[in-house]
Amino acid sequence: MSKPVVGVFALQGNVREHLAMLAQVGVEGRAVRRPSELAEVDGLVLPGGESTTMDKLARAFDLFEPLQKRIADGMPTFGTCAGMIMLANEINGGIEGQETLGGLDVTVRRNAFGRQVDSFEADLDFAALDTPYHAVFIRAPWVERVGLDVETLATVTEGPAAGRIVAVRQDRLLATSFHPEMTGDARLHGLFAEIVRGQ
Ligand code: GLN
């Protein structure tokens, strides 16, 4: 593959930050707002933002079904925070009628860490990384169930949420509860770029 093209779902959420990180890891990032743009990408980032709004806008812009189809057909996809919720097969704590794109065999709990700890930061150990990854969580989900084909990449190690799963991979699908685009550490985007290159 020549330089891979990675889209960022751009109807809602942290789009610019992801595009900047993708540039750092040597892939071409492109905002995706319509089906014709989705058709041209080799992989996709579903950013953080608000999953209930993403769900509604994806439908309003006729992207919901094309997205579901490409994910089901094996398009590498990286869901972060609200994007993790969008990728999950099941959600707990969703609003009435909220649906997800699905593909990732997990159950996530929306706004899982509670109101008191709306946002927090934590250092996470990833087997694939030499040093801990500093993660920023904002009204984040956690993963309550992982399917047999899902690999847990990181859990919270300290505090009341210790042991909670916050990063997972299932083949070409990668998902984090936190915002990897906010700290300047491009290693997880690097891992995703490898998945895209390897397909
Ligand atoms: N709580 C948001 C949701 O349910 C996710 C927050 C985020 O992406 N930072 O979509």
Side-chain angles (χ1 to χ4, degrees), residues 47-52 54 80-83 85 98 110-111 137-141 177 179:
E50 176 48 55
S51 59
T52 54
M54 287 180 183
T80 68
C81 202
I85 298 171
Q98 180 174 0
R110 211 172 141 246
N111 300 332
F137 295 82
I138 303 169
R139 292 184 302 285
S177 301
H179 283 261

Side-chain angles (χ1 to χ4, degrees), residues 1-198:
M1 192 186 285
S2 53
K3 194 170 185 172
V5 178
V6 173
V8 180
F9 173 90
L11 294 176
Q12 206 266 336
N14 286 6
V15 178
R16 253 182 309 161
E17 297 85 344
H18 276 292
L19 291 172
M21 299 300 268
L22 291 169
Q24 276 193 49
V25 299
V27 297
E28 183 185 335
R30 254 189 229 170
V32 167
R33 294 189 183 82
R34 50 185 85 199
S36 58
E37 292 165 341
L38 177 64
E40 288 171 3
V41 300
D42 302 306
L44 186 77
V45 174
L46 294 167
E50 176 48 55
S51 59
T52 54
T53 310
M54 287 180 183
D55 175 27
K56 287 181 191 139
L57 290 178
R59 285 168 203 288
F61 285 77
D62 294 326
L63 261 181
F64 194 91
E65 281 170 18
L67 280 167
Q68 264 187 329
K69 183 164 188 328
R70 286 232 42 204
I71 294 167
D73 288 347
M75 174 178 67
T77 307
F78 185 9
T80 68
C81 202
M84 172 192 256
I85 298 171
M86 293 299 291
L87 263 188
N89 282 353
E90 292 172 315
I91 359 172
N92 289 330
I95 63 166
E96 183 70 32
Q98 180 174 0
E99 285 187 38
T100 67
L101 298 165
L104 183 62
D105 186 15
V106 298
T107 304
V108 296
R109 176 165 296 278
R110 211 172 141 246
N111 300 332
F113 293 89
R115 276 168 204 263
Q116 296 85 338
V117 280
D118 238 17
S119 58
F120 67 99
E121 302 186 14
D123 286 329
L124 305 175
D125 294 320
F126 281 78
L129 305 179
D130 298 343
T131 56
Y133 189 94
H134 188 71
V136 176
F137 295 82
I138 303 169
R139 292 184 302 285
W142 65 39
V143 178
E144 294 196 329
R145 178 194 63 84
V146 290
L148 287 177
D149 296 333
V150 178
E151 184 189 354
T152 295
L153 300 182
T155 54
V156 175
T157 54
E158 285 176 4
R164 293 296 180 179
I165 298 170
V166 291
V168 292
R169 177 173 175 181
Q170 178 187 326
D171 192 15
R172 295 178 195 161
L173 305 179
L174 183 66
T176 63
S177 301
F178 53 90
H179 283 261
E181 78 286 10
M182 285 179 62
T183 48
D185 184 340
R187 289 179 294 170
L188 293 179
H189 288 79
L191 172 64
F192 183 59
E194 275 175 37
I195 297 173
V196 176
R197 288 192 188 98

